[in-house]
Amino acid sequence: MAVGDRKVFSKQLVALLLGAALCSYFENAPLAYGQENGTGMPAIGQNISPDAKLMLSANELVYNKDQELVSVIGGVQINYGGYRLVAQKVDYNQKTGRMMATGNIEMVTPDGNRIYADHLDVTDNFADGFMNALRIETSDNTRLVAETGQRVGGTQMILNKGVYTACLPCAEKPERAPFWQVKAERVIQNSEKHTIRLEKARFQLLGRSLAYLPWIEVPDNTVKRKSGFLFPSMSISQNLGYGLSVPYYYVISPSSDFTVTGTGYTSQGFLLEGEYRRRFENGTVTMHVAGIDQMNPGNFSAGTSDAEAEQRGMVASKGDFRINPRWTFGWDVMVQSDNNFSRTYKIDGYDNTPQVNTVYLTGLGKRNYFDLRAFYFDVQDADSGSTAEKQQPIVYPTLDYHYVAPQPLAGGELSADVNLTNLSRSQDDFTTVDGFDRFPGLEGQTTRLTTELQWKRTLVTPTGLVITPLLAARGDALALNMQSPVDANGVPYAGNYLDDNAATRGMVTAGLEMRYPILFTTSNSTHVLEPIAQIYARPDEPLAGRLPNEDAQSFVFDATNLFDRDRFSGYDRIEGGTRANVGFQYTGTFDSGYKLHGIFGQSYQLAGQNSFATDDLVNVGADSGLETDRSDYVGLGGIEMPFGLSVAASYRLDEKDFAFNRGDLTTAYQNDTFSGQVTYTHVGAQPAYGFAEDQDEIQASSRIKFKDYWSIFGGIAWDLNNDVVVRRSLGISYQDECTIFTIAYVDRRDTTDQTASDWTIAARLTFRTLGDIRLGTGDAANNL
């Protein structure tokens, strides 16, 4: 039966809907604390459009004119404004202005929440009401049960004997208590104060009470940010002892807030942290401060900065502003009392080594890119003399600009690159390895301006041959105000270093690349084989090895850069001489699920001086595999199998006897109950480049799932040459639909410097919709 006269039912139906919708306030965590850990509950009285259509069906409609009572009876179904209501009977008393629904009441709200009750009695102005045997199931699988619910004065909703959980009931034994739940004698929601108060609240795990609070008051969902305590966290480490952190979140204004955290360490005392955050229309700013007066600095290794400092602290700030849609400006800087405070106490976001302080301005257009930034490298180690930090350059600034011409030139693409680097260093960076001197940095200041133009065009012949000609021209201007390199005994550098105040150099390149992809298929597979050949003709590198090398020190020759025009990692070195690169790449796919891929090739110095055979201040090309006219063979390859096994390898083989000079091999396997990976890495000795001995290491990690939700995981790193386990970890984890628990142990051997702790333990306990409790920071916590 459809109802056409909506006026008769509008008041009572809206009251019914709003009353039931109120129950959905309690769909989320009543034990959340401040900040944005609120309950996430929907607002009272979901707005319903006055134009919304009402549809009602029932077995019988009765209107008692004498008693002014309207009743719908039997299989009542009401659809209105996105709400759906099912009940056995609905009565509206026009004299008292009260509406009552009885019999297996079920309400589905527009957001998917389901609300169940046996009886509902509310006034038509929604000021007062009552319901019993209340049960709520939300769209995110949380549940709330209460014996009774009462609406008082139009401002409060009171639930009596409420039980909340985010755990699903046991399918085999639904009467069993969920893994965790929260019970409260009364739950009071105040729509004027926008708060939810829980009285006599108990947190239960596996049916046993673990925590009790006489009362707690938290913001409701209408309050996105509210001052209050956040979840505490705990830590344990060798030299700091046990730690308990209690954060308090304070709302300053709609656009700013502040978090202050106090951490008590049993071995070192009280650490105080504060973080201020401010949001503007076009960006954000944060300020972070921390400090401690150490009780027992002697716990740390003698002679370290950790042991020598008592009052320790730091000040840091981050900012990021979007000036307009193309330009951004920002900074990330930190100043601390000593060189290892933030790392020792694991200050969140500032415990890296090195901690890179930077200020930047970046612009991004459709065809160009601009980046200007300055750097200061804060090396966090326990060296009380901060030697490593003094040896790092201060970069002020470095500029990168890239531009692509909008119109083709001679059918090809014309691009330009500009780099300006200006840096200084207060102390020489000098090392001797196996009799070879290396100067990664010189005391003083240097400035370099580099400009390069490049043109290239891609042509495809009717037979499928891809031809790419290339022309490039580059020029450099350098201002040199560096101290001449000398070793620790004052002996001058034996190499041919240019001891001038200024220098210029240039390079022109003509290149040609040819690729011929070949596609062939079988009845059950597809294969692509692509032979590649390149040749680059250019003069010898000007001033090769005679200039400071700041940004081209890191160099590894492998299959990933086999076909690069210039393999040096930065601008301070230029690859010179005529060189050819030859190789192929392959990809294969099989219907059975197998996949193959690989790259293999070699490089040849055809004419001119080989830049990789020319020593510079760091001997960057020594034993690299490119120092000979015919390079080492390089390749990579892998196979993926449909049952979860994969094997991948990269390698560099000696060009004379195919000796294994460098590479790694990784084998991984994964299925529903097990995942694991083993990696073997080999780096051949490069004494002139700073590695006196071969480096061989095995790293392994795995996770085994057992007994439904439980899993155990671990890892190990083993230095084969020194027969030392440098890192090991072990942990156990439980995870179901409502709870995550993980505990891990990490033991790390640091042979370069002393740290605050050689081993750490971390744990995390997360209750879905409530929040989580953490134990520990650092390496162990990163494994959780």
Side-chain angles (χ1 to χ4, degrees):
M1 175 180 65
V3 176
D5 188 1
R6 185 181 301 169
K7 294 181 180 179
V8 176
F9 296 96
S10 60
K11 283 188 176 181
Q12 61 267 36
L13 186 60
V14 170
L16 170 64
L17 296 174
L18 296 182
L22 170 67
C23 302
S24 62
Y25 254 102
F26 302 94
E27 67 183 84
N28 278 338
L31 285 182
Y33 285 71
Q35 202 171 2
E36 295 187 5
N37 290 334
T39 61
M41 302 172 181
I44 294 179
Q46 304 288 337
N47 293 328
I48 300 176
S49 171
D51 297 327
K53 294 183 179 181
L54 181 149
M55 296 298 295
L56 168 66
S57 66
N59 295 335
E60 183 179 3
L61 185 148
V62 177
Y63 178 57
N64 188 322
K65 185 176 181 181
D66 295 334
Q67 297 183 6
E68 298 184 38
L69 182 67
V70 181
S71 303
V72 286
I73 305 169
V76 180
Q77 297 184 28
I78 301 174
N79 293 333
Y80 183 50
Y83 290 86
R84 291 175 293 164
L85 172 70
V86 175
Q88 291 298 315
K89 182 179 180 182
V90 177
D91 297 319
Y92 176 65
N93 191 316
Q94 293 177 312
K95 290 182 179 180
T96 61
R98 299 190 72 88
M99 188 271 297
M100 293 175 289
T102 57
N104 299 324
I105 300 170
E106 179 180 350
M107 165 79 71
V108 180
T109 64
D111 53 8
N113 298 330
R114 293 181 177 272
I115 304 162
Y116 304 89
D118 288 343
H119 181 78
L120 173 67
D121 183 351
V122 295
T123 59
D124 59 5
N125 64 357
F126 192 41
D128 300 280
F130 174 84
M131 60 186 69
N132 64 3
L134 175 66
R135 179 165 57 95
I136 302 170
E137 297 178 0
T138 69
S139 57
D140 65 346
N141 289 326
T142 58
R143 286 162 171 75
L144 177 68
V145 178
E147 289 188 0
T148 60
Q150 184 177 3
R151 177 75 169 166
V152 178
T155 61
Q156 289 187 339
M157 179 67 180
I158 302 174
L159 295 182
N160 298 308
K161 295 185 178 180
V163 180
Y164 168 81
T165 185
C167 300
L168 297 176
C170 178
E172 299 178 354
K173 297 181 179 180
E175 71 281 359
R176 179 187 297 174
F179 189 83
W180 64 264
Q181 62 185 3
V182 179
K183 290 186 175 182
E185 288 294 320
R186 291 209 310 170
V187 182
I188 305 172
Q189 189 275 333
N190 191 310
S191 59
E192 289 184 338
K193 297 181 179 180
H194 301 286
T195 59
I196 297 174
R197 180 185 177 93
L198 296 96
E199 298 179 350
K200 299 181 180 180
R202 291 173 294 156
F203 179 82
Q204 293 187 340
L205 189 66
L206 297 175
R208 297 182 178 275
S209 298
L210 296 183
Y212 172 80
L213 289 173
W215 63 270
I216 184 172
E217 191 171 87
V218 297
D220 66 18
N221 72 297
T222 62
V223 181
K224 298 301 182 182
R225 302 160 61 246
K226 189 175 180 64
S227 301
F229 285 98
L230 307 180
F231 270 102
S233 62
M234 292 169 286
S235 63
I236 178 174
S237 62
Q238 184 174 350
N239 297 321
L240 304 181
Y242 296 93
L244 175 65
S245 299
V246 180
Y248 182 84
Y249 175 77
Y250 179 71
V251 177
I252 300 173
S253 70
S255 60
S256 62
D257 50 41
F258 184 78
T259 301
V260 59
T261 304
T263 303
Y265 291 104
T266 56
S267 296
Q268 298 300 340
F270 184 73
L271 173 71
L272 184 64
E273 290 184 70
E275 185 175 35
Y276 168 79
R277 295 168 291 270
R278 175 74 182 272
R279 182 177 293 277
F280 300 88
E281 290 185 2
N282 62 338
T284 59
V285 171
T286 64
M287 178 72 72
H288 198 117
V289 297
I292 189 173
D293 186 356
Q294 295 187 147
M295 293 191 310
N296 299 300
N299 282 12
F300 301 100
S301 299
T304 64
S305 55
D306 296 310
E308 294 182 356
E310 293 186 2
Q311 289 80 26
R312 311 179 71 182
M314 59 83 73
V315 178
S317 177
K318 293 181 181 180
D320 184 62
F321 289 90
R322 182 167 290 277
I323 302 172
N324 58 41
R326 292 189 176 185
W327 289 90
T328 58
F329 168 73
W331 66 87
D332 184 355
V333 296
M334 177 187 72
V335 178
Q336 55 184 349
S337 59
D338 60 84
N339 63 326
N340 207 37
F341 167 72
S342 297
R343 184 186 181 204
T344 298
Y345 286 92
K346 303 296 186 295
I347 306 299
D348 187 28
Y350 298 97
D351 57 350
N352 298 316
T353 181
Q355 178 69 32
V356 181
N357 295 275
T358 180
V359 180
Y360 63 89
L361 174 66
T362 301
L364 180 62
K366 292 182 179 180
R367 307 185 70 86
N368 58 358
Y369 169 78
F370 175 93
D371 183 79
L372 179 69
R373 61 184 63 218
F375 295 98
Y376 179 83
F377 301 95
D378 193 340
V379 179
Q380 299 199 72
D381 59 21
D383 176 15
S384 57
S386 300
T387 302
E389 183 171 324
K390 294 175 182 177
Q391 292 174 341
Q392 295 297 312
I394 302 174
V395 184
Y396 39 57
T398 178
L399 180 150
D400 285 289
Y401 178 75
H402 176 73
Y403 173 78
V404 178
Q407 299 298 327
L409 177 63
E413 178 186 85
L414 179 66
S415 62
D417 288 280
V418 178
N419 175 265
L420 172 66
T421 299
N422 184 15
L423 58 85
S424 69
R425 182 180 284 101
S426 61
Q427 182 175 321
D428 281 340
D429 186 0
F430 166 79
T431 59
T432 297
V433 177
D434 205 22
F436 292 92
D437 294 340
R438 300 180 74 246
F439 298 84
L442 299 179
E443 180 182 350
Q445 183 174 354
T446 182
T447 303
R448 176 186 39 76
L449 175 64
T450 300
T451 303
E452 183 176 56
L453 292 175
Q454 176 182 279
W455 174 90
K456 67 178 180 179
R457 181 181 180 182
T458 300
L459 305 170
V460 182
T461 69
T463 60
L465 179 65
V466 181
I467 303 175
T468 304
L470 176 146
L471 296 173
R474 166 178 165 171
D476 297 87
L478 298 96
L480 304 172
N481 187 21
M482 317 283 284
Q483 298 291 329
S484 299
V486 295
D487 64 18
N489 298 318
V491 178
Y493 172 58
N496 188 21
Y497 178 73
L498 180 67
D499 198 4
D500 289 342
N501 294 326
T504 59
R505 63 183 179 181
M507 175 66 70
V508 293
T509 303
L512 181 67
E513 178 185 89
M514 292 183 291
R515 296 172 178 254
Y516 191 66
I518 304 170
L519 172 65
F520 54 97
T521 62
T522 67
S523 59
N524 60 0
S525 63
T526 301
H527 307 265
V528 178
L529 178 66
E530 186 178 30
I532 304 172
Q534 298 173 325
I535 185 169
Y536 294 109
R538 53 205 164 192
D540 293 345
E541 177 187 2
L543 301 174
R546 302 186 63 193
L547 298 172
N549 181 1
E550 294 283 350
D551 68 355
Q553 297 183 8
S554 176
F555 179 73
V556 175
F557 175 49
D558 58 23
T560 62
N561 58 20
L562 170 63
F563 299 108
D564 288 353
R565 173 164 64 92
D566 192 332
R567 298 180 182 85
F568 286 114
S569 58
Y571 290 96
D572 285 337
R573 291 296 307 269
I574 308 174
E575 189 172 337
T578 299
R579 180 175 288 273
N581 306 313
V582 180
F584 68 88
Q585 57 185 15
Y586 163 79
T587 302
T589 304
F590 296 82
D591 294 345
S592 59
Y594 286 84
K595 296 181 180 179
L596 300 173
H597 70 276
I599 299 175
F600 183 81
Q602 193 176 30
S603 182
Y604 302 87
Q605 185 76 25
L606 302 180
Q609 184 183 47
N610 186 345
S611 294
F612 301 100
T614 304
D615 294 337
D616 63 9
L617 292 177
V618 294
N619 304 320
V620 69
D623 300 312
S624 64
L626 283 167
E627 73 278 7
T628 54
D629 290 344
R630 188 162 63 96
S631 78
D632 286 354
Y633 299 98
V634 292
L636 60 82
I639 178 173
E640 298 178 21
M641 306 177 195
F643 50 86
L645 180 65
S646 64
V647 179
S650 67
Y651 49 88
R652 197 185 90 220
L653 306 178
D654 189 88
E655 49 93 11
K656 294 180 179 178
D657 57 8
F658 291 93
F660 184 38
N661 289 330
R662 186 184 185 106
D664 58 69
L665 174 66
T666 299
T667 302
Y669 178 76
Q670 182 174 0
N671 60 21
D672 293 338
T673 59
F674 175 83
S675 64
Q677 177 175 299
V678 178
T679 300
Y680 166 71
T681 302
H682 168 76
V683 179
Q686 296 175 263
Y689 189 51
F691 302 105
E693 300 176 350
D694 289 352
Q695 300 177 70
D696 295 272
E697 184 175 271
I698 292 179
Q699 298 184 36
S701 62
S702 65
R703 178 180 290 268
I704 303 173
K705 184 178 179 180
F706 65 97
K707 202 173 182 179
D708 295 332
Y709 306 111
W710 290 92
S711 61
I712 186 171
F713 59 90
I716 189 171
W718 181 20
D719 183 347
L720 298 177
N721 301 94
N722 298 311
D723 194 19
V724 173
V725 175
V726 295
R727 190 175 185 274
R728 54 190 170 192
S729 62
L730 181 65
I732 190 169
S733 175
Y734 172 89
Q735 180 174 356
D736 62 18
E737 79 284 348
C738 64
T739 309
I740 300 174
F741 170 71
T742 305
I743 185 169
Y745 165 82
V746 173
D747 185 1
R748 178 171 62 95
R749 176 169 179 168
D750 192 341
T751 59
T752 59
D753 56 78
Q754 298 294 327
T755 60
S757 176
D758 293 326
W759 56 262
T760 53
I761 296 176
R764 184 181 71 176
L765 180 59
T766 300
F767 303 108
R768 187 171 68 88
T769 72
L770 288 184
D772 63 1
I773 300 173
R774 285 181 175 267
L775 167 65
T777 56
D779 288 344
N782 294 332
N783 284 272
L784 302 184

